[in-house]
Amino acid sequence: MPFVRIFTGSRYGAPECQRISDILHRAMTDTFAVPAADRFHFFDHFADGMRIFDRHYLSGSRSEGYLLFHIVAGKPRDAAQKAAFYGQLARDLQSEMGIAGDDVMVVIQFTAAEDWSFSRGELYQP
């Protein structure tokens, strides 16, 4: 179950966030072995001036529309799955919402099963 935080600026409202979530989820189910009913996406919005980031670090040019996806996942994925996911996410955000590829950054962290409790204070055991 990936848990995703999407960090945004002030330009994205609820309708745009829903579209971003839909595009993200489709990319995850298509390329990242995520079940269709497994969606936990949380948006963190920041006012103008409250995100300090390098506009050119390992990128062309980030704008105020910059999105950072922080994904915490339990099951490791190989490099091919990650590359396919990154590519589809960036392409679909560009084609469907006009979000430039330079404005899409993804960080993935993997955890062990015992690092999760899905409810009732119970340790997850697959």
Side-chain angles (χ1 to χ4, degrees), residues 11-12 19 91-101 103:
R11 75 168 51 177
Y12 300 106
R19 289 180 66 199
R91 280 189 309 274
D92 290 353
L93 286 168
Q94 170 68 48
S95 67
E96 296 179 34
M97 296 187 68
I99 297 172
D103 281 336

Side-chain angles (χ1 to χ4, degrees), residues 59 62 65-69 86 89-91 93-94 99-106:
S59 181
R62 292 180 182 88
Y66 164 63
L67 300 169
L68 171 59
F69 296 84
Y86 300 148
L89 178 62
R91 280 189 309 274
L93 286 168
Q94 170 68 48
I99 297 172
D102 283 332
D103 281 336
V104 179
M105 182 175 176
V106 180

